[in-house]
Structures are given as structure tokens and as C-alpha cells.
Amino acid sequence: MPSSTGPSIDTITEGGRVTQVGEGQEAEETSPPVVTFGAPTAGEVLAERYELVEHINNDSAGRLVWRGVDVILRRPVAVVLRYPGGDSATEMLQAAVAASRVIHPNLVGVYDAIDEDDRAYVVREWVDGQSLRELVAADGPLDPARATAIGSAVASALAAVHATGMVHGNVHPGTVMISDDARVVLADARTDGADSQENDLRAVGGVLYFALTGHWPHGEAPLHGATAGHGRAALPDAVRDAGGAIAAPRQVRAGVPAYLDDLTMDLLDSEIAPPSSDVLSAELNRLDIPADEHFLEQAGPLRFTADTEDEPSPLAAAGGRKVALGIAGLLAVALVGLLIGISALGDDKDPNKEPVAQPSSSAPATGGTSAPAAPVGKLTIQDVRIIDPESRDRAEVRDAEKVIDGNTNEGWETASYRNNGKFGGLKKGMGIWIDLGAPHTVKSIQATLSSTGASAELRAGKREFASSSSGDKQLVAAYTERIGQPFEEHDGTTMTFDGFNPEEKYQYLLFWITELPEKDSGGGWKLGVQEITVQGS
């Protein structure tokens, strides 16, 4: 027996703590199967190379996960074993062989796959850490930055798999591993013939949704033809309305940026074709930036880009603005310095000239008179978002950017509701959230509508609840300050609100629609908002 040549247990348990991640199914601390022929034992050496050290867990697919040692290379390994082998292990071995051909830092390395008839086993990289499922169960939903980083790693791994023409087929929180050194890896590929690359991409949306909310959006039904015993079936189901539609992440918890919310729900929407895995990887990679960077907050909802470089990155655009402002600032400082220098040189040449006091930063240079008021003009709206606390239709919250594109011929519109103009009795209202980018003195706001007969009001909210990271229900509840008089059953197509407090500055506003006009032909109630403009200084 070559077991004496392998390293001791202490050399591979990191101080005795064993946290090997399972293979994705529901890990069960149960005894081995009743069948004992071919059952492994501690200390046994497989293929004259892999010593079994400790049984970690069983999964509900009938496989055993062992911690082992490669006695030749003297490194820890994970041994995934099932018995008997033969035909019953064909899928497991084929998946392992296929996975071994793809080498990527975000994929668990597969070292060996052996069928001995009475049992079959796959030898792969040992990972100290925990699965995403275990991490969220222990610590709760992740912050958006960490969820993005995990999603980016998974998409990158899938891009490598898909580039070979293969499918992973088993992406969910149980197969996404986070090692103790923060490395994110994807494990346990399957090749059962019922999977597709599109399903892999949909599953990335599920992983993002789970990381952000702690719920699995695919329900209890197993994905991609997997057996009902797989661990993904045991994950908490997503929050759903009476019709079974899932709530968006930002409706479940506050703090989820709109662009990440939109990307996640787009991936889960079967009516929207997902991008290729390499494009998705690129999108998530550019979002995976330090938490203290906020360039993307003003970039609007994330949209999938084509496989070209024609569309600039929101990050690049924001970074460009930052650089431009920095250069402009330096030029301004240099110009002021130059003027002061010229003035000083001129004074030195005239000995009879009285010294002139320079204005200080602590007192106005005009002798105490107040500075003239800034001119009133059109303010730039930095971001808009459709607010729908009782959302039932994801398509209804799209196209918010059309209300600030300067084109009154197209805009955002509600769905068509039956029975009455109060949104068919299904909701109390919908709105458009407006971010001016910074506090401004606001003179008026004008909304151009698609038809007459609508009712709406304008609201402002408490600053601590008014940011783009607030959930829809929380945000609406916080917007209690009404600006001007509500427009009840308004007969025109233009609403102008001008009741702003001149002593107060506003950054966040909510145009809240309370009743829809009746359509002429279809018999339903709906409204389009073609354009919103803000005047102020």
C-alpha cells in the first residue's frame, strides 16, 4: 500500500478545518447507500494513486464525495465516486472527460475519470471554501458588488466552456464555489443531452437573483430535465404574485442598482434572447468594479451589446467625463495663476501705485452684496426609472429613457388595463422617478402625454430614501411631499407643475400617475409619457 507516502491529514485540512464544497446536489450527511459492494474505505488507494482520506458527504444523485490525496504529486484532491460503475456512471464520466478539456481559472480542474465496473470515480481539484448556497444561507443576500463579481466569474467560465461547443448544464448556487481565498469556480458539469447554452445563460440570471435576494427564481421544478432530488430544488422559491410572476430583486430588497436589476430580469425573461456567453461575460466584467466607484450610477439600465465594439461602455463614457472635468479644472487653475502673476508684475513696475487688496475666499469680492441668481434654464435629467410597486409585467417598466430623449413622437407607455382607469383595480398607480444628478433649485417640471384625460401628481421624497437603490415600495412610501396641485382628470396633453419651494433644492422627483385615460378604439385604459423636462438652476 502506498498510503504511507502521502501527506498527513494535517497538511491538507488547513488547521483541521475541512470545508470542501459539495457537487451541487443537496448534500446529505447520511450513511453510504445500502449496497456495499464496491463501497470505498478510508485509507484505500484508487488506481494506485489516489488515497481516500475522509468521506465528506453524499449527494442525492447517489454519489459520494471524498477528500483524498494524490500520492504521486502530493496534493489534495476531491474524489467523486459512485458504485456500481458501468452504464450507470456513463453520464458522470463523459461530463468529466469533457470538462477536463477546458482549462480556466473559474472552472474546477478535473484530473482523472476512471470506470472499474464495480465503481467509477472522478478525481478533481480540491477547493476549500463553500458554495454560494451555503454562503447566502449563512450570511444572507450579498451586496450588489459581490453578487456582480460572482456573476462575472460564472459567465467567464461559461464563455470558456461554450467556446468549445459544449454545455455546462448544471449552473446553480450549489455548483458555484467561493474558495477561502475569494476565488469563484464553477463545478459539476453535466452532459445529459437536455441542456443548451441558452439554459446556461438563463441560469446565470438565476445565480444573480439568488445572490441578491436569497431566493431561487426557477421554483421547485428542477432545471433542464434534472431529477427532482437535485439540490437546486431545495432552494427557497422566489417571491411571486398571484399570477406566478416573480418579483424583481429591487422589489425584494433595497440597494439593488437598476442596471443590475434589469440585467438579472432580462436573463430570466424567456421572451428576451440572451446574449452570447462571451458578451455577457464582458458586460459583467465591466460592472465588476470597486464598490467606491460610482461611474455606472448615471449610465442608465444596462442593455446587452452586440458582438461589436460600436457601442461604448457606460464606464468608459463616465470615465471620459471625469477625465474631461479634471483637465478643465487644471486649465482653470492655471489661467487664474497666470492672471495673478501678470497683475503682480504690473504692480511692481509702478512704485507710486497703491497696493490693491485681493479678494479672499472667506468674503465676497463685491463688498458684501449677494451674488446674482443663477439663470433659469433646462436642467439635465441624469437618470429615470419606471416605478411600479405592484409590478405584474416586466415589459411595462422598460423604455424609461425614452421620456428624456428629446423626441416627443415616442415615449414610455403603460400596459392596457380593462374595467377602469384605476389600473383595472390591480394597482394604486405607477410613476417615473427622476434624478437630476445633484440638488438644484427647480422652477417647474413639464410632462408631455400621449392623450388627454389622465390624472397625475408630482412628489418629492426624503433624501435618505430617495436614491436609485431604494426598492419601489419603499421609495413610493417615502415620497410624501406633493409639489403644486394634482392634475385631476386633466383635459390637455401637457402637465406643468410649478409649486416648488424656492428656498429648497431638489434632486429626486416622482411623476406619479393615478388614473389612465380611456382609449378610443380598443376599449382599454392606457397612457404614454412622451417627454419630461425640468426648468431650474
Side-chain angles (χ1 to χ4, degrees):
M1 291 284 290
S3 60
S4 60
T5 64
S8 66
I9 291 179
D10 289 339
T11 63
I12 61 173
T13 59
E14 297 188 359
R17 185 174 71 87
V18 178
T19 56
Q20 173 63 24
V21 178
E23 285 291 298
Q25 291 77 19
E26 184 69 13
E28 300 172 352
E29 296 296 339
T30 61
S31 58
V34 175
V35 178
T36 58
F37 179 73
T41 58
E44 184 179 359
V45 178
L46 306 179
E48 300 183 349
R49 178 168 184 171
Y50 306 111
E51 179 185 1
L52 300 179
V53 176
E54 180 183 10
H55 174 221
I56 303 301
N57 59 44
N58 297 348
D59 64 39
S60 57
R63 304 183 309 179
L64 287 70
V65 181
W66 279 73
R67 177 169 59 84
V69 176
D70 183 337
V71 297
I72 295 178
L73 297 180
R74 302 180 63 83
R75 64 180 177 184
V77 294
V79 180
V80 183
L81 184 147
R82 71 177 303 152
Y83 56 95
D87 293 340
S88 64
T90 298
E91 189 275 332
M92 180 185 79
L93 295 174
Q94 288 178 343
V97 171
S100 69
R101 298 170 182 161
V102 186
I103 308 299
H104 191 274
N106 297 121
L107 287 170
V108 168
V110 177
Y111 304 146
D112 215 339
I114 298 173
D115 185 2
E116 296 179 347
D117 290 331
D118 58 333
R119 58 187 175 187
Y121 46 91
V122 173
V123 182
R124 65 160 175 80
E125 176 186 2
W126 171 272
V127 180
D128 275 303
Q130 55 188 331
S131 69
L132 176 61
R133 177 180 59 195
E134 295 166 333
L135 178 63
V136 171
D139 301 336
L142 309 183
D143 63 82
R146 193 171 189 191
T148 301
I150 290 174
S152 177
V154 173
S156 180
L158 289 178
V161 172
H162 293 176
T164 67
M166 295 189 299
V167 174
H168 186 278
N170 196 28
V171 180
H172 63 90
T175 57
V176 177
M177 303 180 180
I178 297 91
S179 69
D180 291 342
D181 61 359
R183 176 182 168 220
V184 179
V185 290
L186 186 58
D188 197 22
R190 298 192 183 282
T191 56
D192 59 8
D195 299 295
S196 67
Q197 292 188 359
E198 179 176 336
N199 285 341
D200 279 351
L201 293 163
R202 302 288 186 203
V204 176
V207 167
L208 285 170
Y209 192 96
F210 180 81
L212 292 168
T213 68
H215 296 272
W216 183 242
H218 297 290
E220 295 185 358
L223 292 174
H224 318 331
T227 61
H230 285 182
R232 63 193 115 185
L235 297 171
D237 189 20
V239 178
R240 299 176 184 271
D241 64 16
I246 64 174
R250 67 182 183 183
Q251 293 176 308
V252 177
R253 58 175 288 209
V256 179
Y259 61 82
L260 187 57
D261 183 274
D262 285 337
L263 171 60
T264 301
M265 295 303 289
D266 281 351
L267 288 170
L268 296 174
D269 191 339
S270 60
E271 296 184 357
I272 299 177
S276 61
S277 53
D278 56 341
V279 170
L280 177 60
S281 175
E283 293 285 8
L284 285 167
N285 183 61
R286 77 182 188 186
L287 293 179
D288 184 13
I289 57 177
D292 58 347
E293 298 287 351
H294 302 289
F295 298 134
L296 284 164
E297 288 185 358
Q298 309 300 337
L302 182 69
R303 293 289 178 250
F304 296 142
T305 60
D307 293 276
T308 69
E309 297 183 359
D310 294 338
E311 181 177 343
S313 163
L315 180 59
R321 289 196 298 272
K322 183 176 181 181
V323 171
L325 290 173
I327 294 174
L330 290 174
L331 290 174
V333 171
L335 180 58
V336 171
L338 178 61
L339 292 175
I340 292 175
I342 292 174
S343 176
L345 289 174
D347 292 344
D348 290 342
K349 294 180 180 179
D350 188 355
N352 297 319
K353 187 174 182 179
E354 293 293 331
V356 178
Q358 299 296 325
S360 69
S361 59
S362 60
T366 58
T369 61
S370 59
V376 175
K378 182 179 178 180
L379 298 177
T380 300
I381 298 176
Q382 297 291 338
D383 194 13
V384 289
R385 176 176 126 200
I386 305 304
I387 301 300
D388 188 6
E390 299 160 283
S391 175
R392 294 171 180 271
D393 183 359
R394 282 292 300 171
E396 197 173 15
V397 298
R398 301 187 190 281
D399 299 326
E401 65 278 1
K402 290 184 178 180
V403 304
I404 58 172
D405 62 0
N407 182 4
T408 57
N409 293 323
E410 64 174 9
W412 165 79
E413 66 178 9
T414 69
S416 180
Y417 290 83
R418 299 290 176 179
N419 301 324
N420 59 64
K422 299 285 188 180
F423 294 91
L426 299 175
K427 58 183 72 173
K428 295 180 179 179
M430 291 184 68
I432 300 175
W433 172 86
I434 301 165
D435 178 10
L436 299 176
H440 288 273
T441 299
V442 179
K443 182 68 174 177
S444 66
I445 178 172
Q446 185 179 87
T448 303
L449 309 178
S450 62
S451 59
T452 62
S455 296
E457 57 192 31
L458 186 68
R459 301 180 184 181
K462 299 176 182 178
R463 285 190 197 286
E464 60 267 32
F465 295 110
S467 71
S468 63
S469 64
S470 298
D472 283 11
K473 290 185 178 180
Q474 180 189 17
L475 190 147
V476 171
Y479 276 61
T480 56
E481 179 187 351
R482 287 174 171 79
I483 308 299
Q485 295 297 318
F487 284 86
E488 301 289 349
E489 299 180 358
H490 186 56
D491 290 333
T493 57
T494 300
M495 292 183 179
T496 302
F497 299 86
D498 55 7
F500 289 88
N501 183 352
E503 303 300 323
E504 186 174 351
K505 292 184 180 296
Y506 301 84
Q507 178 175 348
Y508 305 107
L509 299 167
L510 177 63
F511 177 71
W512 185 246
I513 304 166
T514 55
E515 187 165 0
L516 306 172
E518 186 173 3
K519 294 194 303 180
D520 294 334
S521 56
W525 282 259
K526 70 185 301 184
L527 177 68
V529 180
Q530 307 303 100
E531 195 73 16
I532 290 180
T533 57
V534 182
Q535 297 290 325
S537 58

